[in-house]
């Protein structure tokens, strides 16, 4: 069989075990057929083989987002939401102007036009007012208004929204999340943690069957434009299985999805491979694990640490006092019960965890469930790991536990971390300790918390530079090859997909990202600026950076007409 495509005059970084390179790559029937020299591969060409001259460009395995949220992000920054992230608005004034404009439009539309906004960020935009349910009621006592913190760990709703949702003093907290209440038990219009946060956001937080395909298509196009060919979905709701499966059947999706069901989303998750809708899944859509939020976010104060927040203006700007220490969402016994129930069935567990005390709890639980239910390849995961210590990283490696580091925090919020935690900021996401321990680890963006950008993740892990240029914990920096593995082969391994993606080896899918420059050769501080030329999935072009320099943003929405029946408790 002749190759369908042969790429020549390239630098092909295979990211195989030896990190070998070549100058040409051949693709047949969607798979990598061979890598080697121009001359050798050109000899295999047939009369209809496409020969693509890369003119020195670099070909890598498609990037892998080990910790994404495509079915959530498609709503959070989709056409029915007002995008108020600091990376989009730039000033507090623009945030408030976007909110007021959406409210004005909703008032003119009449009826139950719900305004929902994502991305409230008082850390990068400290001029923002203190937000609360009552503050949103002052913006509009009539139009239902909801706002979500950019971390997705807090949300707020005004009185009109709370009435439509039917949330009152008799409404129980859903799972480990909570509706905050005043001294007499009445909800204040603030929620912490999912699913309570999602509930407060109202109908705009869910596309629904009619709009689902369009929302997901736009989301995956944006993901492909960042060079990503496979993404984890670590807040997946099982109700979305039939919708995503239908999408994959009816469309040429540019990105593969690996799902991690939200713990507690249904009373009992089936055994792996036995879901009544997707079964064992396919190369495009496959269930992999279960996700647990052990603690919360450093930006709202609900992470469990052995040290307190600094007494600083920045700490007070997020409503905390100096010395504040948060707590976990679970006790050790509760977390053990959740992990035991799912791991015993054969699921991989992925625990969101930031605080060092919470890390100890997760490691204790992981050690126990591996003892109770031994299996050779559980690949237990810890997510984000902001304040994990090098000693804890080494303990994790010894237990066979891997980490997905949210190193993008250093670029976007590194200067803020110093104001919140002082010297402890130097050890934030210590990826270098994972290299030293011989651990396979990944880097991620946690989109929509930070924009999808694997190249910027790699730059940050290598340089440890904040947005201002400050270097945090240079001893935790990693090499460029390690950074590339963390966004390709090691991320594929975490998703139980290393047999099909993550490296450019014969027999694996021809999922490629083609770069204008070689990240091994440019100055480290420029890796994040390398231009993506093209992204390919399964031997087909999925994104062409030459045809479109930027992916069009979804239209600004924010006012959906709804008919809701109050839950009454």
């Amino acid at each position: 069989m002749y190759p369908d495509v042969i790429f020549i005059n390239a630098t092909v970084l295979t990211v195989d075990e030896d990190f070998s390179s070549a100058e040409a790559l051949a693709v047949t029937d969607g798979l990598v057929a061979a890598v080697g020299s121009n001359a050798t591969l050109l000899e295999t060409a047939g009369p209809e083989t496409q020969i693509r001259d890369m003119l020195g460009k670099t070909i890598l395995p498609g990037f892998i987002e080990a910790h994404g949220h495509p079915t959530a992000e498609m709503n959070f920054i989709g056409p029915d939401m007002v995008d108020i992230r600091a990376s989009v608005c730039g000033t507090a004034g623009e945030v408030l102007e976007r909110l007021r404009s959406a409210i004005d439009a909703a008032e003119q539309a009449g009826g139950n036009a719900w305004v929902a906004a994502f991305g409230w960020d008082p850390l990068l935009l400290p001029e923002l007012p203190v937000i609360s349910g009552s503050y949103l009621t002052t913006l509009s006592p009539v139009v239902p208004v909801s706002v979500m913190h950019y971390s997705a760990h807090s949300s707020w709703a005004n009185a009109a929204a709370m009435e439509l949702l039917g949330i009152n003093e008799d409404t129980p907290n859903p799972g480990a999340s909570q509706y905050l209440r005043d001294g007499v038990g009445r909800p204040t219009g603030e929620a912490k943690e999912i699913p309570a946060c999602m509930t407060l956001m109202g109908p705009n937080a869910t596309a629904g069957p009619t709009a689902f395909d369009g929302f997901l298509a736009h989301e995956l196009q944006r993901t492909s434009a960042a060079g990503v060919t496979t993404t984890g979905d670590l807040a997946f709701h099982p109700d979305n299985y039939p919708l995503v499966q239908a999408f994959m059947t009816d469309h040429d999706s540019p990105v593969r999805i690996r799902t991690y069901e939200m713990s507690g989303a249904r009373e009992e998750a089936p055994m792996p491979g036995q879901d009544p809708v997707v079964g064992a899944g396919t190369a495009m859509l496959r269930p992999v694990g279960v996700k647990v939020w052990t603690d919360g976010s450093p930006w709202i104060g609900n992470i469990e640490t052995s040290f307190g927040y600094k007494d600083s203006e920045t700490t007070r700007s997020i409503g905390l006092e100096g010395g504040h220490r948060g707590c976990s969402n679970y006790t050790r016994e509760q977390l053990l019960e959740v992990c035991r129930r799912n791991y015993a069935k054969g699921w991989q567990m992925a625990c969101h965890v930031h605080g060092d005390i919470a890390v100890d709890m997760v490691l204790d639980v992981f050690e126990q469930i591996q003892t109770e239910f031994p299996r050779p390849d559980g690949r237990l995961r810890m997510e984000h790991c902001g304040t994990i210590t090098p000693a804890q990283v080494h303990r994790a490696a010894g237990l066979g536990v891997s980490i997905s580091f949210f190193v993008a925090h250093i670029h976007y919020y590194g200067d803020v971390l110093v104001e919140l935690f002082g010297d402890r900021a130097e050890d934030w996401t210590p990826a270098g300790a994972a290299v030293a321990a011989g651990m396979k680890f990944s880097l991620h963006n946690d989109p929509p918390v930070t924009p999808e950008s694997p190249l910027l993740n790699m730059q940050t892990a290598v340089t440890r530079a904040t947005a201002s240029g400050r270097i945090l914990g240079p001893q935790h920096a990693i090499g460029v090859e390690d950074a590339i593995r963390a966004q390709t082969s090691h991320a594929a391994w975490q998703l139980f997909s290393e047999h099909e993606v993550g490296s450019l080896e014969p027999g694996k899918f021809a999922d490629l990202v083609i770069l204008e420059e070689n990240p091994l050769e440019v100055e480290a501080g420029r890796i994040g600026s390398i231009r993506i030329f093209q992204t390919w999935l399964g031997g087909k072009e999925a994104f062409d950076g030459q045809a479109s320099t930027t992916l069009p943003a979804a239209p600004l929405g924010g006012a959906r007409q709804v008919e809701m029946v109050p839950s009454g408790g």
Side-chain angles (χ1 to χ4, degrees), residues 289-365:
V290 174
K291 163 78 172 296
V292 182
W293 283 262
T294 308
D295 62 359
S297 166
W299 319 129
I300 64 174
N302 60 343
I303 63 173
E304 189 168 14
T305 57
S306 62
F307 53 91
Y309 282 69
K310 279 183 59 179
D311 185 10
S312 68
E313 184 177 340
T314 301
T315 296
R316 291 186 289 275
S317 75
I318 58 174
L320 304 177
E321 297 296 327
H324 170 85
R325 298 187 189 187
C327 63
S328 294
N329 296 324
Y330 298 88
T331 65
R332 184 188 183 282
E333 291 70 26
Q334 290 170 333
L335 183 64
L336 176 60
E337 192 278 329
V338 171
C339 292
R340 175 188 280 148
R341 180 174 68 248
N342 291 289
Y343 191 73
K345 289 183 176 181
W347 288 111
Q348 180 192 32
M349 297 302 301
C351 285
H352 164 122
V353 60
H354 266 302
D356 59 328
I357 290 180
V359 167
D360 277 336
M361 178 171 66
V362 172
L363 291 174
D364 288 346
V365 166

Side-chain angles (χ1 to χ4, degrees), residues 55 65 76 145 188 209 324 334:
L55 302 173
E65 173 57 86
F76 289 167
V145 180
T188 63
H324 170 85
Q334 290 170 333

Side-chain angles (χ1 to χ4, degrees), residues 14 25 55 84 103 106-107 120 137 143 157 175 179 196 199 231 287 302 305 312 333 361 377 424 429 434 497 524:
T14 66
L25 179 144
L55 302 173
I84 56 171
I103 291 169
E107 289 175 345
W120 189 266
T137 299
V143 173
Y179 304 116
T199 301
T231 182
N302 60 343
T305 57
S312 68
E333 291 70 26
M361 178 171 66
D377 199 15
R424 291 303 294 247
T429 57
S497 295

Side-chain angles (χ1 to χ4, degrees), residues 122-140:
L123 284 173
L124 294 188
L125 301 176
E127 299 82 9
L128 286 170
V130 175
I131 193 171
S132 63
S134 58
Y135 171 75
L136 295 181
T137 299
T138 65
L139 292 182
S140 179

Side-chain angles (χ1 to χ4, degrees), residues 210-539:
T210 302
F212 192 92
D213 276 16
F215 277 43
L216 184 57
H218 185 272
E219 168 66 17
L220 297 183
Q221 287 164 9
R222 178 171 49 238
T223 304
S224 179
V228 173
T229 53
T230 298
T231 182
D233 191 328
L234 276 87
F236 194 83
H237 197 286
D239 289 351
N240 285 328
Y241 273 131
L243 296 170
V244 180
Q245 185 178 51
F247 176 90
M248 293 297 184
T249 300
D250 298 339
H251 301 79
D252 287 329
S253 173
V255 180
R256 308 178 193 277
I257 296 178
R258 303 291 179 261
T259 66
Y260 289 73
E261 187 172 312
M262 291 186 289
S263 171
R266 48 183 164 178
E267 188 169 339
E268 282 294 332
M271 299 283 284
Q274 297 181 10
D275 186 275
V277 177
V278 295
T282 67
M284 292 304 300
L285 172 66
R286 186 179 302 136
V288 173
V290 174
K291 163 78 172 296
V292 182
W293 283 262
T294 308
D295 62 359
S297 166
W299 319 129
I300 64 174
N302 60 343
I303 63 173
E304 189 168 14
T305 57
S306 62
F307 53 91
Y309 282 69
K310 279 183 59 179
D311 185 10
S312 68
E313 184 177 340
T314 301
T315 296
R316 291 186 289 275
S317 75
I318 58 174
L320 304 177
E321 297 296 327
H324 170 85
R325 298 187 189 187
C327 63
S328 294
N329 296 324
Y330 298 88
T331 65
R332 184 188 183 282
E333 291 70 26
Q334 290 170 333
L335 183 64
L336 176 60
E337 192 278 329
V338 171
C339 292
R340 175 188 280 148
R341 180 174 68 248
N342 291 289
Y343 191 73
K345 289 183 176 181
W347 288 111
Q348 180 192 32
M349 297 302 301
C351 285
H352 164 122
V353 60
H354 266 302
D356 59 328
I357 290 180
V359 167
D360 277 336
M361 178 171 66
V362 172
L363 291 174
D364 288 346
V365 166
F366 279 180
E367 184 170 14
Q368 183 163 341
I369 62 174
Q370 289 185 109
T371 300
E372 293 179 3
F373 310 102
R375 64 181 195 244
D377 199 15
R379 301 190 196 183
L380 293 165
R381 290 178 51 172
M382 296 196 299
E383 312 300 305
H384 309 327
C385 297
T387 71
I388 194 171
T389 66
Q392 289 173 322
V393 172
H394 280 263
R395 182 189 173 196
L399 292 172
V401 174
S402 72
I403 296 172
S404 189
F405 286 108
F406 196 175
V407 73
H409 271 171
I410 293 173
H411 173 79
Y412 289 100
Y413 296 95
D415 297 306
V416 170
L417 286 168
V418 176
E419 294 299 316
L420 293 176
F421 299 116
D423 290 342
R424 291 303 294 247
E426 297 287 332
D427 293 324
W428 202 262
T429 57
V435 173
M439 176 191 292
K440 292 180 180 178
F441 63 93
S442 65
L443 309 174
H444 67 257
N445 278 111
D446 197 22
V449 178
T450 64
E452 191 76 80
S453 182
L455 287 165
L456 184 57
N457 288 347
M458 290 157 53
Q459 172 183 306
T460 303
V462 172
T463 66
R464 303 277 302 181
T466 71
S468 71
R470 177 171 182 163
I471 306 300
L472 286 184
Q475 70 274 23
H476 301 308
I478 66 177
V480 179
E481 285 192 11
D482 289 320
I484 291 173
R485 289 190 187 279
Q487 289 280 181
T488 55
S489 61
H490 288 178
W493 177 86
Q494 284 187 332
L495 297 177
F496 281 90
S497 295
E498 75 279 9
H499 62 289
E500 56 195 348
V501 297
S503 62
L504 298 177
E505 299 178 84
K508 292 190 178 183
F509 288 119
D511 294 359
L512 323 170
V513 59
I514 304 174
L515 306 179
E516 295 279 5
E517 298 177 272
N518 185 344
L520 294 174
E521 295 179 353
V522 303
E523 188 270 323
R526 287 188 51 241
I527 293 174
S529 301
I530 295 174
R531 182 178 172 82
I532 294 173
F533 177 73
Q534 288 177 340
T535 308
W536 287 58
L537 188 89

